[in-house]
Amino acid sequence: MTSSHTDCHFCLQSLRGRKFALREENAYCVPCYDSLYANPCEECKQPIECSSKDLAYKGRHWHEGCFRCAKCSRSLVEKPFAAKDEVLLCTECYSDEYSSKCFHCQRTIMPGSRKMEFKGSSWHESCFVCQYCRQPLGTKLLITKDNENYCVSCFEKQFAHHCYACKKVITSGGVTYHDQPWHKECFVCAVCKTQLSRQRFISKDEYPYCVDCFSKFHAKKCAACKKPITALGGAKYISFEERQWHGECFNCRKCSASLVGQEFLTRQDDILCQKCGSA
């Protein structure tokens, strides 16, 4: 390079007919410039002379020929690369050493590509899709079943139970009655509509009833005390000629002895033990 500069700014030798370099509007002969300002190459440790291309990355410098992958030695000039612990690697070597494997396809997730993380595993964005509709899940709500991911809509279509009463999806909890799923809030007494999920109930004609309503509308009445016979808790009752008694009410009309498991006689509407009936 030639210019109006006549002398090297450092050694003061004439620059006439010689190449020189400019720095902050001052001219230097090539040897002076290299000794004063040339960056040392990160690889070979030699100065990168002004006649050579200086490749820089994060404050470090390389000769063009030294800017190579630390593992396979391929040139990284004008190619994508990655750094690990200050070591430069081509994308292929970096992927082999450090990149995650996609949980779905088991191929490497290349540096620079978008990676989805879920439950400690990684996916390519294109692999992180609903198992049923194949639409990307991204950051949408999802449900996992048997290690497969589903969007909420597809999961409900394929697997969710629908309430026997309201026909809507049961998303959590629920009650099973006569092999049918119910929302807890839909599982109510057929008469008074009281929720039955946490209390005792009685079934009749495939409908659940709270104890009070069943006793009021459906339970048989004891022939002795006239109170309903619900048979809750395994209570025993006796039936004879279309009449029913609580076990504790099935007693001789005259002497009040229990007739449960005993022979008895009837006289009109009364039941009597053999002793009283024969007297």
Side-chain angles (χ1 to χ4, degrees), residues 93-203:
C93 290
Y94 183 89
S95 298
D96 290 342
E97 290 289 329
Y98 304 110
S99 291
S100 303
K101 302 292 183 181
C102 176
F103 183 83
H104 177 73
C105 69
Q106 295 303 308
R107 292 196 293 269
T108 298
I109 301 175
M110 299 296 288
S113 61
R114 190 172 183 187
K115 179 173 68 173
M116 310 304 297
E117 298 278 353
F118 180 65
K119 288 188 175 181
S121 297
S122 303
W123 278 264
H124 291 110
E125 185 177 20
S126 58
C127 291
F128 193 59
V129 299
C130 171
Q131 178 68 17
Y132 185 72
C133 69
R134 311 307 300 174
Q135 293 300 307
L137 291 170
T139 57
K140 298 177 183 176
L141 289 175
L142 61 91
I143 301 173
T144 300
K145 178 179 173 62
D146 299 331
N147 289 327
E148 300 289 356
N149 300 320
Y150 298 85
C151 64
V152 174
S153 177
C154 288
F155 183 86
E156 290 179 351
K157 290 176 183 176
Q158 295 298 305
F159 305 109
H161 295 297
H162 290 75
C163 177
Y164 182 77
C166 70
K167 310 305 179 186
K168 295 180 180 179
V169 170
I170 300 173
T171 56
S172 63
V175 175
T176 299
Y177 171 68
H178 281 190
D179 296 326
Q180 297 292 345
W182 302 61
H183 288 114
K184 288 183 179 179
E185 59 271 23
C186 293
F187 188 61
V188 297
C189 172
V191 177
C192 69
K193 307 306 179 185
T194 300
Q195 287 192 25
L196 300 176
S197 59
R198 293 188 177 181
Q199 63 175 288
R200 296 199 295 183
F201 63 91
I202 301 172
S203 173

Side-chain angles (χ1 to χ4, degrees), residues 38-48 60-63 66:
N39 294 305
C41 174
E42 191 74 22
E43 177 64 23
C44 70
K45 311 305 179 184
Q46 298 300 312
I48 304 173
R60 297 186 294 159
H61 300 264
W62 288 263
H63 289 105
C66 295

Side-chain angles (χ1 to χ4, degrees), residues 2-279:
T2 60
S3 75
S4 59
H5 294 87
T6 58
D7 299 322
C8 171
H9 184 71
F10 184 73
C11 70
L12 304 181
Q13 293 186 17
S14 174
L15 297 176
R16 294 182 184 278
R18 300 173 63 190
K19 292 182 179 180
F20 65 92
L22 289 174
R23 184 180 177 87
E24 298 177 354
E25 298 185 357
N26 295 317
Y28 297 84
C29 65
V30 171
C32 286
Y33 184 89
D34 288 342
S35 65
L36 292 172
Y37 301 115
N39 294 305
C41 174
E42 191 74 22
E43 177 64 23
C44 70
K45 311 305 179 184
Q46 298 300 312
I48 304 173
E49 300 172 340
C50 63
S51 59
S52 302
K53 184 178 289 188
D54 185 336
L55 301 180
Y57 174 71
K58 290 188 175 181
R60 297 186 294 159
H61 300 264
W62 288 263
H63 289 105
E64 185 175 14
C66 295
F67 195 60
R68 298 177 178 275
C69 172
K71 185 176 182 182
C72 69
S73 298
R74 285 184 291 185
S75 174
L76 300 177
V77 178
E78 297 183 357
K79 293 181 180 179
F81 64 91
K84 179 70 175 178
D85 299 329
E86 298 188 354
V87 175
L88 302 186
L89 298 168
C90 64
T91 53
E92 291 82 357
C93 290
Y94 183 89
S95 298
D96 290 342
E97 290 289 329
Y98 304 110
S99 291
S100 303
K101 302 292 183 181
C102 176
F103 183 83
H104 177 73
C105 69
Q106 295 303 308
R107 292 196 293 269
T108 298
I109 301 175
M110 299 296 288
S113 61
R114 190 172 183 187
K115 179 173 68 173
M116 310 304 297
E117 298 278 353
F118 180 65
K119 288 188 175 181
S121 297
S122 303
W123 278 264
H124 291 110
E125 185 177 20
S126 58
C127 291
F128 193 59
V129 299
C130 171
Q131 178 68 17
Y132 185 72
C133 69
R134 311 307 300 174
Q135 293 300 307
L137 291 170
T139 57
K140 298 177 183 176
L141 289 175
L142 61 91
I143 301 173
T144 300
K145 178 179 173 62
D146 299 331
N147 289 327
E148 300 289 356
N149 300 320
Y150 298 85
C151 64
V152 174
S153 177
C154 288
F155 183 86
E156 290 179 351
K157 290 176 183 176
Q158 295 298 305
F159 305 109
H161 295 297
H162 290 75
C163 177
Y164 182 77
C166 70
K167 310 305 179 186
K168 295 180 180 179
V169 170
I170 300 173
T171 56
S172 63
V175 175
T176 299
Y177 171 68
H178 281 190
D179 296 326
Q180 297 292 345
W182 302 61
H183 288 114
K184 288 183 179 179
E185 59 271 23
C186 293
F187 188 61
V188 297
C189 172
V191 177
C192 69
K193 307 306 179 185
T194 300
Q195 287 192 25
L196 300 176
S197 59
R198 293 188 177 181
Q199 63 175 288
R200 296 199 295 183
F201 63 91
I202 301 172
S203 173
K204 180 177 174 59
D205 300 329
E206 297 188 357
Y207 291 99
Y209 295 85
C210 68
V211 174
D212 290 341
C213 288
F214 182 85
S215 298
K216 182 177 180 180
F217 295 101
H218 297 291
K220 297 180 183 298
K221 301 297 190 295
C222 175
C225 70
K226 309 304 180 185
K227 295 180 179 179
I229 300 173
T230 62
L232 282 175
K236 295 181 179 180
Y237 72 96
I238 291 87
S239 178
F240 176 71
E241 292 184 350
E242 299 184 357
R243 290 188 295 165
Q244 289 79 33
W245 290 261
H246 292 109
E248 63 271 20
C249 294
F250 192 58
N251 301 323
C252 174
R253 176 69 172 175
K254 189 173 182 180
C255 70
S256 300
S258 174
L259 299 177
V260 177
Q262 304 296 320
E263 293 183 356
F264 60 90
L265 302 172
T266 61
R267 181 179 296 165
Q268 296 180 349
D269 290 335
D270 296 332
I271 54 172
L272 302 167
C273 63
Q274 284 192 332
K275 181 179 179 181
C276 293
S278 301

